[in-house]
Amino acid sequence: MLISFGVVMVMGSFQGLVLPVHFTAANSPELLGYVLSAMSAGMLASSLGYAALAHKLRLRTWYILSLTGMALGILGLGLLPSLPLLIASALMLGLSAGPISALLGFFIFGRIPAENRGSALGTQNSLTLAAAPVAAFTTSLVVEGAGVSVAALALAGCWMLITVWALNTHSLEYLDDKESHPDPIPFVPDAERI
């Protein structure tokens, strides 16, 4: 859940505040669409690609590749480089973000007992919805006080910390271990369903 909050907070702040302010200050607000479109296209492509290729690599390998790629993409965005590099960074971020959402969803769903799933996922969704405005407000204070470049670097730094934590946290070391995420829906033979 903490990784999901980090994604929502950092990516939401870039999309909703830092990049719009950056392009507005450069008198080119229309260029924001290219960057966001590259990110969206990357996420769509990687989600479809992950669905087709998930069985080719271990879950832990997908997890590491996704987090590492996201870190590179967010670092690129945090530097606020020229437009081609911003688009490349956004595309890298999008291509890397697709698998992580599927992995985290599967992992969370499998770890929550069936009888608690509704309330746990409802609570998670509510907290996620609250995380984005809190992050945007905090980022707006940094933009106002120190400038958009500092805010962009601060968000990138936050994501680097999240990435280091996520790659080293004990609870996500064993994604491929069957005991760490039992099948969320147990197999019931047809004869027993009747």
Side-chain angles (χ1 to χ4, degrees):
M1 281 180 35
L2 292 175
I3 298 170
S4 298
F5 291 159
V7 169
V8 167
M9 294 172 82
V10 172
M11 287 180 66
S13 293
F14 265 114
Q15 292 176 13
L17 188 67
V18 169
L19 291 174
V21 169
H22 170 69
F23 284 116
T24 300
N27 293 318
S28 303
E30 71 279 1
L31 297 179
L32 174 64
Y34 294 111
V35 176
L36 297 183
S37 295
M39 191 183 305
S40 297
M43 288 180 81
L44 178 61
S46 65
S47 294
L48 294 172
Y50 178 74
L53 302 172
H55 64 283
K56 299 284 187 184
L57 298 172
R58 296 174 56 232
L59 294 178
R60 178 73 181 168
T61 304
W62 281 111
Y63 177 75
I64 292 169
L65 289 173
S66 189
L67 283 173
T68 304
M70 286 180 71
L72 293 173
I74 288 176
L75 182 60
L77 290 178
L79 296 173
L80 295 176
S82 64
L83 180 64
L85 291 176
L86 270 175
I87 290 174
S89 297
L91 183 62
M92 174 72 151
L93 174 57
L95 286 171
S96 303
I100 197 78
S101 60
L103 284 169
L104 293 177
F106 171 75
F107 190 68
I108 290 170
F109 192 80
R111 297 279 299 253
I112 300 170
E115 62 274 10
N116 299 335
R117 214 168 272 150
S119 59
L121 293 176
T123 302
Q124 177 192 358
N125 290 341
S126 297
L127 291 172
T128 300
L129 288 173
V134 169
F137 175 73
T138 305
T139 304
S140 70
L141 294 177
V142 177
V143 168
E144 185 66 28
V148 70
S149 297
V150 172
L153 287 173
L155 287 170
C158 288
W159 185 254
M160 296 309 130
L161 292 174
I162 291 168
T163 300
V164 169
W165 172 81
L167 289 173
N168 292 294
T169 187
H170 179 69
S171 63
L172 293 172
E173 283 181 21
Y174 305 103
L175 287 172
D176 295 289
D177 182 5
K178 196 71 168 158
E179 293 177 11
S180 71
H181 57 82
D183 290 332
I185 302 171
F187 173 74
V188 179
D190 288 338
E192 292 180 27
R193 292 182 191 181
I194 300 172

